[in-house]
Amino acid sequence: MKNTGSPVIPAAPAASGSSKKSLPRETELAPPDLQPQELKIEDAPARRMGFAIVGLGKLALEEIMPAFGECEHAKAVALVSGHPEKAARVAAAHQISEGSVYDYENFDRIADDPAIDIVYIVLPNSMHAEFTIRALKAGKHVLCEKPMAVSVEEGQAMARAGREAGKKLGIAYRLHYEPLNLKVMKWCQEGKFGRIRSFTSSNCQTVEAPNIRLSHALGGGPVGDTGIYSINAARYCIGEEPVSVTAVAHFPDDDPRFKEVPESVSFILTYPSGAIATCDTSFGTIEARRYQVLCDKGSIEMDPAFSYRGLKLKTKELLEEDESSDISEINLRQKNHFAAQMDGFCRAIIDDTEVVTPASMGIADLRIIAAIQESYETGKMVKIDS
């Protein structure tokens, strides 16, 4: 049946003395050809970049692999695992060919796989440096989970390998792509609530054995695993590098889980401006994932701040003496953190721009982690090298 146009209705006459504007004589009820005028049609990207996921543990299987379904610029094209049966099942579930499944021994063959553009390292911390460097030498860009490595020296070697290969190396600080944390970064940079005086944060959870997080040899421990979120958040809120740290750690005698790594660590970071960050991290408490920024004209609170989903942001602003303090909850459309992160890394490669979370950020955090460990081992305040 031929479309004869949109139906029209006559405008109702305005009431006598009404302040409302008169409606037009004829009002269209539907747009021309039933197409909304504000409809945006985006062209598909010329090419989606292929990822090889190295390490098929809980994070890779429960968060990263499903996130590809929400990516615009990224797709999973290869897997690397030491468990062939598991890798085969994951490959089948994600339509990855059998020939694109590698193990740790034949890993260097990825150099001959043109479908792989980016290698995402999701291995135990102790393996980050080796496989990042091998991937870069194979001619691939690398996104590496945090902490970047287990020492500053390893991190520097990784960065050097990236420069020599002419490839991008990013560290997977996903919250730098998350809308609410991005809002906080902007506010702090602009000084929306005045000068920052204090930052406090807790990122704690319970970890049961067996778990790689409890192994010193594998680079485990709460500071590098959960405490690093507080360290990094303090940086993007305060906007400075800390100059010193004082830390204490607890190794309970009656809990065999903590023979090699601390159960809990608390640390105080001082900054050139006079701001202080007080943070704690633990593998032996109920979950807590929060931070608060106290300024001279207001405050910012994220709780939860570091979780994969369901983040909440509140602010409190100091008003005039005759007014109550204004407390606001900020609501923004949520994104899948891992999809946003992988797409963001792809965009840096496609556009040849700086990576949002570069190797230098990972190395800066490694310096702080090393200083925290030195402080709780010696019982002294430790200066942090820049």
Side-chain angles (χ1 to χ4, degrees):
M1 181 175 177
K2 187 176 181 180
N3 184 2
T4 58
S6 302
V8 297
I9 59 170
S16 176
S18 172
S19 61
K20 294 182 179 179
K21 294 182 179 180
S22 298
L23 294 172
R25 280 293 177 188
E26 295 183 349
T27 301
E28 292 189 0
L29 298 182
D33 298 323
L34 306 181
Q35 295 295 316
Q37 295 178 352
E38 70 278 8
L39 181 66
K40 295 181 180 179
I41 303 176
E42 295 184 4
D43 293 328
R47 178 170 173 263
R48 297 175 73 190
M49 307 203 78
F51 274 71
I53 304 301
V54 186
L56 300 181
K58 183 180 178 69
L59 179 65
L61 295 184
E62 294 186 1
E63 301 296 340
I64 295 171
M65 295 303 295
F68 282 108
E70 299 184 45
C71 286
E72 180 181 358
H73 300 292
K75 62 179 179 179
V77 298
L79 304 173
V80 182
S81 174
H83 303 278
E85 291 185 4
K86 178 170 66 173
R89 289 181 60 185
V90 177
H94 292 273
Q95 293 79 53
I96 295 172
S97 68
E98 184 178 337
S100 295
V101 177
Y102 301 86
D103 58 36
Y104 301 134
E105 284 69 38
N106 65 19
F107 174 79
D108 300 306
R109 285 175 41 207
I110 65 171
D112 302 320
D113 191 336
I116 299 174
D117 301 294
I118 300 166
V119 173
Y120 192 164
I121 306 295
V122 202
L123 292 166
N125 302 337
S126 61
M127 301 171 72
H128 286 186
E130 176 189 349
F131 282 87
T132 292
I133 292 171
R134 288 170 68 178
L136 290 165
K137 288 182 175 180
K140 309 301 181 181
H141 304 282
V142 175
L143 181 62
C144 179
E145 267 300 326
K146 61 196 173 304
M148 180 181 187
V150 296
S151 70
V152 173
E153 292 73 23
E154 281 192 352
Q156 291 171 333
M158 294 160 70
R160 185 165 54 250
R163 291 192 298 270
E164 291 173 352
K167 296 297 178 180
K168 295 189 184 294
L169 170 58
I171 311 306
Y173 293 102
R174 58 185 166 78
L175 297 179
H176 286 257
Y177 299 90
E178 189 281 315
L180 289 174
N181 277 281
L182 285 172
K183 176 69 74 175
V184 173
M185 294 177 204
K186 183 173 183 292
W187 283 342
C188 291
Q189 186 177 23
E190 294 174 347
K192 177 178 174 62
F193 298 99
R195 184 176 176 182
I196 296 172
R197 304 294 189 180
S198 173
F199 174 94
T200 59
S201 178
S202 295
N203 197 11
C204 306
Q205 63 189 48
T206 296
V207 176
E208 300 294 347
N211 194 302
I212 61 173
R213 293 179 173 90
L214 301 174
S215 168
H216 175 74
L218 295 178
V223 178
D225 186 83
T226 49
I228 194 170
Y229 284 89
S230 300
I231 293 168
N232 198 260
R235 175 184 295 107
Y236 61 68
C237 290
I238 298 172
E240 303 174 15
E241 289 300 316
V243 294
S244 68
V245 63
T246 302
V248 294
H250 177 51
F251 290 81
D253 294 332
D254 59 348
D255 195 329
R257 289 178 297 170
F258 303 110
K259 292 185 297 184
E260 299 182 6
V261 302
E263 177 198 72
S264 305
V265 179
S266 296
F267 51 95
I268 299 174
L269 298 163
T270 61
Y271 295 80
S273 65
I276 296 174
T278 305
C279 309
D280 60 272
T281 184
S282 178
F283 281 167
T285 74
I286 191 170
E287 182 175 298
R289 309 199 186 280
R290 54 164 291 277
Y291 66 75
Q292 185 178 43
V293 188
L294 296 180
C295 310
D296 55 10
K297 297 179 181 178
S299 64
I300 302 166
E301 182 178 357
M302 284 276 286
D303 188 6
F306 309 126
S307 303
Y308 298 143
R309 50 193 62 84
L311 307 190
K312 293 184 178 180
L313 170 60
K314 292 182 180 180
T315 64
K316 184 175 182 180
E317 189 169 6
L318 183 65
L319 302 178
E320 300 297 330
E321 290 184 3
D322 59 344
E323 297 178 316
S324 299
S325 296
D326 187 21
I327 300 176
S328 301
E329 182 170 347
I330 311 302
N331 293 304
L332 296 176
R333 187 181 298 277
Q334 296 287 297
K335 291 182 179 180
N336 182 297
H337 303 181
F338 295 93
Q341 174 179 252
M342 290 188 288
D343 273 348
F345 190 61
C346 288
R347 288 299 333 172
I349 296 168
I350 294 167
D351 299 335
D352 194 20
T353 55
E354 292 295 320
V355 177
V356 172
T357 54
S360 58
M361 181 181 292
I363 293 170
D365 280 350
L366 290 176
R367 287 195 179 97
I368 298 169
I369 291 171
I372 290 171
Q373 181 173 347
E374 181 182 348
S375 179
Y376 72 65
E377 287 179 346
T378 63
K380 298 179 180 179
M381 182 271 287
V382 174
K383 291 184 178 180
I384 300 172
D385 297 329
S386 59

